[in-house]
Amino acid sequence: MTLQLSTAGESHGPALVAILTGLPAGLMLDRDAIDGDLHRRQQGYGRSPRQQLERDEVEVLAGLRHGRTLGTPLALLVRNRDHRNWEWGMSPWPPVGEPSGKGTKPVTLPRPGHADLAGVLKYGHEDVRDALERASARHTAVYVAAGSVAKTLLAELGISVTGSVREIGGQAEGWTAAIDDARADRDTLGGVVEVRATGVFAGLGSYATREDRLDARLAAALMGVQAVKGVEVGDGFALARERGSAAHDEIEPGLRRRSNRAGGIEAGISNGEEIVVRAGMKPLPTLMRPLDSVDLATGEPAQALVERSDVAAVEALSVVAEAVVAWELARAAREKLGGDALADMKAAHAAYLERTRTR
Ligand SMILES: Cc1cc2nc3c(=O)[nH]c(=O)nc-3n(C[C@H](O)[C@H](O)[C@H](O)COP(=O)(O)O)c2cc1C
């Protein structure tokens, strides 16, 4: 048994949903903790006014009774409060009445860097909105909700996961000024985030197959987040420029390490050190000073779509990255320790720690 996550939802549709399967029974969830993480995702300097427009809250539809998981699929829902402005434009069924609100006119001006052109070509859409609505990072809200549940499970095993911003627009500090400058130029920025997981015991993941490798799973999870274009584990690319004598983490009696340049993973397995991963985010593709494009309706040169958008969303990405890393670690822990019930999982954890402690 493993943890599985399925999500659905468009950016301006009625709601986002997530179904989490494989959670052990008996895990006490905290609604405020999930809502707190959802709120964190909406924060950050450089976000669009949409974030003030809607305050995300989780609703639980199944899998929970009196706050405790039942060991059955957990169904989570986060409403798009902004949908009230898109009721006609994003109506799941053929809309009734005269067009009103937003999204009533087809979008034909694909933005370089967004899903718009590749999406309409692949799926045969006429209206770019049919592609961009799902491609949008709005649905990272339910990744964050799922990640919050995962963090609660990991906390039972003494593991904590924290994401933070390393740089925005190439600035390691003073990035609010960089964001102000970009906004004034009607431009956008990207950046780098870091996720650290402490308390991770040795033995998550495996070298047995490519799919089992924890580093591969974390990289895929982070790459699965919109706008992430690079991932490194530990000192990643810097290691590529060094000698082996400088690059590897020497082992001392007590099986302690002198350094952690590997970022807590060797051969696709957690090695007991802190897990450290970083993700690089490209500048956001929606510019208020639009890039050159082509009008798909006419084939003529045109300017790309301009719609409400963030200048930078790196702080939000740090929260999403934390969530997807937590989810992957919880999934690997569930595979390692089994456990239909949380008590079984904790007992297996204690027995495993005891076995490895005596080495
Ligand atoms: C938290 C977050 C917020 C984002 N906000 C925006 C935004 O406001 N405007 C925009 O153009 N792209 C935004 N993006 C990036 C796009 O969703 C992304 O670039 C697009 O879906 C194309 O996918 P790709 O960049 O992975 O190739 C955001 C990404 C994240 C992770």
Side-chain angles (χ1 to χ4, degrees):
M1 187 59 152
T2 185
L3 293 186
Q4 284 182 336
L5 174 63
S6 304
T7 71
E10 278 73 41
S11 182
H12 301 100
L16 308 163
V17 292
I19 297 185
L20 290 61
T21 49
L23 287 168
L27 180 67
M28 191 72 195
L29 299 184
D30 175 357
R31 191 196 323 206
D32 289 345
I34 302 174
D35 286 344
D37 280 335
L38 289 173
H39 188 53
R40 284 171 63 221
R41 192 197 70 94
Q42 296 186 287
Q43 301 304 296
Y45 202 72
R47 304 302 304 283
S48 85
R50 178 173 186 181
Q51 308 309 327
Q52 280 97 54
L53 203 70
E54 47 188 4
R55 179 155 183 154
D56 288 337
E57 283 175 2
V58 73
E59 294 173 41
V60 179
L61 304 180
L64 201 66
R65 183 158 185 252
H66 302 170
R68 244 175 245 285
T69 55
L70 295 172
T72 53
L74 180 70
L76 306 180
L77 181 142
V78 177
R79 289 184 197 280
N80 291 324
R81 293 190 201 278
D82 197 18
H83 179 64
R84 59 176 178 255
N85 299 312
W86 296 74
E87 269 179 36
W88 195 99
M90 285 302 294
S91 169
W93 294 106
V96 283
E98 288 303 306
S100 65
K102 297 185 178 172
T104 55
K105 296 206 177 65
V107 178
T108 60
L109 305 170
R111 291 162 295 177
H114 217 298
D116 307 356
L117 182 56
V120 294
L121 293 176
K122 177 175 169 69
Y123 291 102
H125 296 313
E126 295 296 324
D127 183 349
V128 166
R129 181 156 306 285
D130 288 338
L132 69 87
E133 280 285 328
R134 175 64 181 170
S136 149
R138 168 66 190 150
H139 74 258
T140 58
V142 279
Y143 295 167
V144 168
S148 195
V149 172
K151 284 192 293 175
T152 304
L153 175 57
L154 291 171
E156 295 283 346
L157 306 174
I159 298 169
S160 71
V161 185
T162 311
S164 63
V165 175
R166 290 287 298 247
E167 51 183 92
I168 299 179
Q171 308 289 322
E173 47 197 45
W175 55 62
T176 54
I179 292 172
D180 289 340
D181 284 352
R183 189 194 302 278
D185 292 341
R186 295 182 293 148
D187 216 325
T188 59
L189 296 175
V192 178
V193 301
E194 181 176 89
V195 183
R196 290 176 173 262
T198 55
V200 181
F201 54 90
L204 295 185
S206 173
Y207 44 69
T209 70
R210 182 160 58 89
E211 292 78 17
D212 288 327
R213 291 182 65 104
L214 188 62
D215 44 5
R217 290 163 66 153
L218 294 178
L222 288 164
M223 273 288 186
V225 179
Q226 288 84 345
V228 171
K229 297 296 146 194
V231 174
E232 66 177 4
V233 177
D235 285 348
F237 281 90
L239 293 177
R241 301 181 197 111
E242 294 188 22
R243 289 186 167 193
S245 53
H248 299 299
D249 306 312
E250 289 183 296
I251 306 168
E252 294 180 339
L255 306 187
R256 280 187 296 271
R257 301 299 182 112
R258 293 208 179 114
S259 53
N260 183 26
R261 307 207 57 200
I265 304 176
E266 289 169 314
I269 307 179
S270 61
N271 64 9
E273 300 297 308
E274 189 177 31
I275 295 211
V276 185
V277 287
R278 280 181 281 275
M281 181 185 212
K282 74 185 188 186
L284 305 177
T286 310
L287 275 66
M288 294 303 121
R289 187 179 52 187
L291 297 173
D292 287 350
S293 184
V294 165
D295 189 334
L296 296 175
T298 64
E300 296 298 321
Q303 302 289 285
L305 169 71
V306 178
E307 72 173 18
R308 188 181 55 205
S309 185
D310 302 329
V311 177
V314 188
E315 289 176 75
L317 176 66
S318 73
V319 179
V320 178
E322 171 186 300
V324 300
V325 166
W327 180 262
E328 282 308 314
L329 293 176
R331 195 158 75 90
R334 177 72 169 90
E335 288 163 19
K336 177 78 186 86
L337 302 172
D340 293 328
L342 180 64
D344 297 347
M345 207 173 167
K346 290 176 78 166
H349 180 234
Y352 177 75
L353 290 188
E354 183 57 23
R355 171 168 80 68
T356 49
R357 192 182 60 79
T358 52
R359 288 293 294 275

